Amino acid sequence: MTPKRSPSDFALFGGAPAFVEKLHVGRPNVGDRAAFLRRVEDILDRRWFTNSGPYVQEFERRIAAEAGVEYCVAMCNATVALEIAARALGFSGEVILPSFTFVATACALMWQEITPVFCDVDPVRHTIDPEKIESLITPRTTGIIGVHVWGQPCNIEAIEEIARRRGLRVLFDAAHALACTHRGRRIGGFGDAEVFSFHATKFLNSFEGGAVVTNDAALAERMRLMRNFGFAGQDNVIHLGTNGKMCEVSAAMGLTCLESMEDIIATNRRNHFAYSEGLASVPGLRLYAFDPAEESNFQYVIVEVDAEQAGLSRDELVRLLHAENVLARRYFYPGCHRMAPFQSYFPHAHLLLPETEKLSTRVMSLPTGTAVGVEEVAIVCDIIRAASRCSPEISTRIRAAS
Ligand code: T4K
């Protein structure tokens, strides 16, 4: 990349983009292609494509072991897994959850006509703030969903203590948190159940996929019934159910990625520290840091932009990066409470969510994963450092143009 010294060097103002090919957030990790293709051959030979096939069963055993739990119920995706878990836990009425999450967490409730009650987040951890939970509990409240955003465990003990005292059930949306630990224990066995996502964009993917993990045998059994139309053997439907099954090809991909999991995490960690070094001197930017005493999968590189100190807002920086073909994402903007399905029900929710409001205008996610090398990270950091040096002129130009 030709060094960017003045605003005109940036692609947004007519310069050459730093990357010819787009650099994505969420590019899938592939793992050992030959191992995956061997498994696909097996599936074709066996002619057993779905309905709890041998690869799904193996995947469930492997995920339960990774998470240190008794039971894993694999599903077609984490959204359906959240829906089934919520129903199996007996959620109804109102459930408290953060608004600062991917919209799936809130949709999974509303889809079942359960009212999502949005709670604010801790501005440092980005996870639900337990101190704000209690005032949201009403006679209609049946549960709490904590989201381990970016793989950062929630304040689990505080949430569990409130739930115990107030007779509520706890589900953790652990879509980001496979292979992360809390106080040395793997995420998976906390609350009544936890939900993982294996979507293509997750560090461990099964194309589409999800799972509920739990140590509660009866709950696991109920979810197994629910994910397969309520069948307990041929022609014998004993429960209301849906189709939430994971298929064999997905499990084959999940198993293949599991074999490369440590390498994928090592790449993510390497990239994370490369960003950390590359952005350390940029005023107004804070790279979201993980507790070095815990394990993390480092799958999200999250940067918080303080517009005043940085001289550029998060949105201005994202526009600048997009023009350079660095497709930074505004996870999670604008917060579920400002999205159409929820805003009309709760038009004043933002008044109770000051930290969520602030975070959703400050946070961006940068590309990482096995599709991103340290050379690319260095270039992204160069662009951001250069933007920071020319921030007054850049900001003036962007504002003038819009
Ligand atoms: N709970 C939480 C906290 C979650 O974050 C999520 C999902 C869920 C629950 C629900 O899990 P699932 O039901 O999906 O299993 C993406 C993912 O689609 C979503 O799974 C993920 N969270 C969320 C954080 O990110 P979008 O709307 O940003 O997706 P999209 O299509 O814009 O893709 C993101 C980027 O990934 C793009 O820049 C391109 C790249 N990409 C994507 C796909 C699918 C690829 O390079 N290759 C691909 O195959 O939600």
Side-chain angles (χ1 to χ4, degrees):
M1 179 187 83
T2 330
K4 296 185 188 292
R5 297 205 172 83
S6 73
S8 318
D9 294 333
F10 288 86
L12 191 60
F13 308 121
F19 292 93
V20 178
E21 304 257 332
K22 293 188 187 319
L23 201 62
H24 289 274
V25 168
R27 212 68 172 147
N29 298 313
V30 177
D32 181 343
R33 196 180 285 241
F36 169 67
L37 293 174
R38 272 197 303 276
R39 288 188 168 107
V40 173
E41 292 284 353
D42 270 0
I43 293 168
L44 298 177
D45 289 346
R46 209 184 278 136
R47 290 180 192 254
W48 194 272
F49 291 176
T50 182
N51 292 23
S52 215
Y55 281 139
V56 167
Q57 290 180 36
E58 188 184 342
F59 186 61
E60 289 182 334
R61 282 193 298 275
R62 293 284 312 275
I63 291 296
E66 284 296 338
V69 295
E70 293 280 327
Y71 309 100
C72 169
V73 185
M75 308 264 186
C76 54
N77 59 57
T79 307
V80 168
L82 283 165
E83 286 169 14
I84 289 182
R87 195 174 271 261
L89 281 167
F91 283 0
S92 64
E94 295 173 2
V95 168
I96 298 168
L97 76 164
S99 172
F100 190 72
T101 179
F102 188 59
V103 69
T105 325
C107 279
L109 294 172
M110 196 81 137
W111 194 252
Q112 310 187 69
E113 303 192 349
I114 298 167
T115 306
V117 175
F118 295 120
C119 184
D120 213 1
V121 288
D122 175 322
V124 176
R125 296 164 84 109
H126 298 185
T127 56
I128 192 166
D129 183 348
E131 293 198 358
K132 309 256 172 72
I133 290 178
E134 216 145 1
S135 63
L136 300 173
I137 298 175
T138 74
R140 279 167 46 79
T141 310
T142 53
I144 303 169
I145 301 183
V147 182
H148 305 310
V149 182
W150 324 134
Q152 168 67 58
C154 298
N155 188 338
I156 292 173
E157 286 71 22
I159 296 169
E160 289 183 334
E161 190 278 321
I162 295 169
R164 239 186 336 266
R165 199 158 33 75
R166 305 295 297 259
L168 303 174
R169 305 207 76 177
V170 178
L171 176 64
F172 287 110
D173 178 339
H176 302 176
L178 182 76
C180 298
T181 61
H182 173 64
R183 301 194 175 171
R185 235 178 90 197
R186 278 278 168 98
I187 290 296
F190 296 101
D192 290 294
E194 306 207 52
V195 171
F196 293 128
S197 169
F198 309 114
H199 181 259
T201 55
K202 297 293 179 287
F203 85 104
L204 189 140
N205 85 88
S206 61
F207 299 125
E208 287 274 2
V212 190
V213 287
T214 182
N215 286 313
D216 180 334
L219 181 68
E221 193 42 42
R222 212 154 44 243
M223 292 189 295
R224 275 187 205 290
L225 287 171
M226 286 177 162
R227 100 177 148 178
N228 188 27
F229 316 102
F231 275 113
Q234 259 182 25
D235 305 331
N236 185 27
V237 173
I238 61 165
H239 206 291
L240 180 66
T242 181
N243 183 354
K245 290 173 270 119
M246 176 180 270
C247 72
E248 285 290 273
V249 172
S250 282
M253 187 58 173
L255 285 165
T256 306
C257 282
L258 266 171
E259 284 160 4
S260 301
M261 189 169 88
E262 293 311 321
D263 293 341
I264 297 170
I265 293 176
T267 303
N268 287 348
R269 187 186 297 112
R270 177 203 69 189
N271 286 351
H272 195 276
F273 286 105
Y275 275 116
S276 172
E277 236 178 78
L279 299 177
S281 61
V282 184
L285 258 59
R286 183 176 83 89
L287 188 78
Y288 188 93
F290 296 94
D291 181 348
E294 301 285 358
E295 288 171 37
S296 178
N297 57 42
F298 294 96
Q299 68 178 313
Y300 289 100
V301 172
I302 300 298
V303 174
E304 239 179 275
V305 183
D306 177 331
E308 225 164 87
Q309 282 181 36
L312 285 170
S313 69
R314 184 274 315 269
D315 287 353
E316 287 168 341
L317 210 42
V318 166
R319 270 185 75 179
L320 203 77
L321 288 168
H322 279 208
E324 303 294 341
N325 281 331
V326 179
L327 302 189
R329 295 296 300 258
R330 298 186 296 177
Y331 290 147
F332 290 112
Y333 172 82
C336 297
H337 65 288
R338 286 196 178 272
M339 292 177 170
F342 311 103
Q343 192 172 27
S344 52
Y345 282 91
F346 319 110
H348 304 300
H350 60 281
L351 298 174
L352 293 175
L353 304 168
E355 300 299 346
T356 305
E357 289 271 295
K358 203 153 93 188
L359 264 188
S360 65
T361 62
R362 292 163 66 113
V363 171
M364 67 177 174
S365 177
L366 295 175
T368 187
T370 54
V372 180
V374 276
E375 310 74 30
E376 278 129 346
V377 173
I379 295 172
V380 176
C381 293
D382 280 347
I383 301 169
I384 295 175
R385 283 198 304 268
S388 164
R389 284 194 297 272
C390 329
S391 62
E393 302 97 294
I394 290 177
S395 183
T396 309
R397 279 203 195 194
I398 292 179
R399 279 168 207 176
S402 54

